[in-house]
Amino acid sequence: DSLDEMDETILATLEVSQEEIPMSDVEVDSDLTMAEMNAKGLAAILDGDSIVAANSYFEASSAKAGTESSNDADAAKLFHAITRVAALGFNIESDGDTTDGFKTVGDFIDATGCDTDMRTSWEMVSCPDVKTTAGKEKLASSAPTSEDLRAFLHDALIPEIAAALVELGEITSTFTTHVTHKDKNYNIDYSDALVVKGYYQAMLSQLYGISAFNVNVNIYDAIKNDKSVETLKSENTDFLKLGSCGTECLTNAKTNYLAALSTLTEAVKEIGAESTGTDEELFTIDSSDPLPTVTASKATSAFDSLKTAADGSVDISSIGNTFSLNLSSLFAGTLDLNSLLPAVSGNNVDTNKVDW
């Protein structure tokens, strides 16, 4: 429900002309109030589909809020926490330099050999089709490796999420605001801030987990030389073995894993305690579809079980499947993920060598 609602209310493209709202950073009038900056930021998203422009307004509004405690200040911090992370994925313009490292998503696109002109939106990005001979020829030798991507996620995305979490942590428990979109009124409050916070903590856990392991594969070499998965596996024998960040990153992964579960537990309790009003809610608990039927108490019980799994085996049948989960060896760095990779023949799993 929550992601569907966000698609409809925050990321929707409306009738307003794209030309009315810039797709890049904007210079914000410092004389605007927080309420005015917030309104312009929402308009940039809802009416112009410009995350980057919206982020400029919310960044200025959050900075103006400082330590102030008000609904406008809390709204600025929540919205900026969302757009500052999302904006990383929309910084796709070309700087014309493929030798200065991977600092933005635009750098990755440049290095791959994609067209550099008119990259104002993802719809305008044109890259080589590596499934064709012509596309393989156009693929640049400077194309990023999977290690380049891992390093970018660690060095650029993790700090941005960490900064967003600081803002989310400053939002007061009494926060509530309203957004009108497509003739619907939406109530946004503290429980929504908790959901976003828990989601970001879960993202950090995943990102630190990725950074703990060696994931380096030369994508250019693999595509250019039509290397099979079997060949890549034989050439990259340390794939998914602990890397230089190893234990430190796994410790951070576990810390954020547990923090996410605690935050989401608090969020579920907040949502469950909310009175039913006429406004639409941004995040809700959908009890209509999953098995077993989800309730606030069952959700928090499942979160408790997942917490226990961080340090030992736990039966998590209450989540919907009968099995035990034990993440302790993964977080401790003693689980050899490389040894769990299945045998491969060409580009297919060798079913004769897999214990199904």
Side-chain angles (χ1 to χ4, degrees):
D1 270 8
S2 60
L3 293 179
D4 289 342
E5 291 296 327
M6 287 185 75
D7 283 343
E8 294 176 5
T9 62
I10 292 182
L11 302 178
T13 304
L14 304 183
E15 302 84 13
V16 174
S17 170
Q18 292 283 340
E19 295 179 357
E20 296 179 18
I21 298 175
M23 301 306 290
S24 57
D25 291 330
V26 297
E27 186 174 343
V28 180
D29 183 353
S30 59
D31 290 334
L32 294 175
T33 66
M34 282 187 289
E36 290 171 331
M37 292 178 185
N38 291 345
K40 286 182 176 292
L42 287 171
I45 297 177
L46 300 177
D47 298 339
D49 198 26
S50 177
I51 294 290
V52 178
N55 185 56
S56 296
Y57 288 113
F58 293 138
E59 181 179 15
S61 185
S62 181
K64 175 166 279 195
T67 58
E68 179 180 323
S69 178
S70 68
N71 276 331
D72 286 337
D74 287 341
K77 292 171 183 176
L78 172 60
F79 296 144
H80 185 228
I82 294 173
T83 59
R84 70 186 299 161
V85 175
L88 286 177
F90 289 85
N91 190 358
I92 60 176
E93 293 183 354
S94 174
D95 63 3
D97 188 352
T98 60
T99 64
D100 61 345
F102 299 102
K103 302 172 184 175
T104 68
V105 172
D107 289 334
F108 280 87
I109 301 175
D110 283 345
T112 305
C114 304
D115 290 342
T116 58
D117 296 331
M118 298 295 292
R119 289 211 311 244
T120 57
S121 68
W122 276 105
E123 288 76 12
M124 302 295 289
V125 176
S126 177
C127 295
D129 182 358
V130 296
K131 295 179 181 179
T132 67
T133 301
K136 290 180 181 179
E137 289 299 322
K138 190 177 179 182
L139 182 67
S141 59
S142 59
T145 66
S146 54
E147 170 59 21
D148 292 326
L149 177 58
R150 184 212 63 77
F152 176 77
L153 294 176
H154 187 274
D155 298 338
L157 184 55
I158 285 180
E160 203 64 52
I161 294 176
L165 285 170
V166 172
E167 288 185 302
L168 292 169
E170 295 173 349
I171 296 174
T172 62
S173 60
T174 57
F175 164 58
T176 183
T177 191
H178 299 271
V179 174
T180 299
H181 177 52
K182 287 188 175 180
D183 298 323
K184 286 187 177 181
N185 295 320
Y186 293 87
N187 179 60
I188 301 175
D189 54 27
Y190 181 60
S191 66
D192 299 312
L194 287 174
V195 172
V196 176
K197 181 180 178 181
Y199 176 70
Y200 277 170
Q201 289 167 329
M203 280 185 66
L204 280 185
S205 179
Q206 292 177 315
L207 291 169
Y208 276 119
I210 293 171
S211 280
F213 297 96
N214 187 323
V215 294
N216 194 28
V217 174
N218 189 323
I219 300 173
Y220 170 81
D221 175 60
I223 293 175
K224 207 76 168 179
N225 296 299
D226 289 318
K227 291 189 174 180
S228 66
V229 174
E230 181 180 7
T231 299
L232 291 174
K233 184 182 176 186
S234 67
E235 291 180 349
N236 298 274
T237 56
D238 60 347
F239 187 73
L240 289 186
K241 289 187 177 293
L242 281 183
S244 58
C245 187
T247 304
E248 178 186 351
C249 279
L250 288 175
T251 297
N252 287 330
K254 180 179 179 180
T255 298
N256 283 284
Y257 170 83
L258 294 172
L261 292 170
S262 294
T263 300
L264 292 174
T265 297
E266 185 181 358
V268 167
K269 291 178 180 179
E270 284 283 336
I271 293 172
E274 291 176 348
S275 57
T276 303
T278 57
D279 288 350
E280 301 282 343
E281 295 291 337
L282 194 59
F283 294 102
T284 60
I285 300 174
D286 183 5
S287 59
S288 62
D289 185 33
L291 295 174
T293 300
V294 174
T295 62
S297 61
K298 286 183 178 179
T300 55
S301 176
F303 291 152
D304 287 339
S305 294
L306 291 172
K307 282 184 185 179
T308 302
D311 293 305
S313 181
V314 62
D315 178 12
I316 57 173
S317 303
S318 60
I319 296 179
N321 296 291
T322 303
F323 67 95
S324 295
L325 179 67
N326 187 341
L327 300 175
S328 60
S329 58
L330 174 63
F331 287 132
T334 58
L335 179 63
D336 185 359
L337 294 180
N338 179 274
S339 68
L340 299 179
L341 292 173
V344 179
S345 177
N347 289 316
N348 303 305
V349 172
D350 188 346
T351 56
N352 294 321
K353 298 181 180 179
V354 176
D355 181 8
W356 296 104

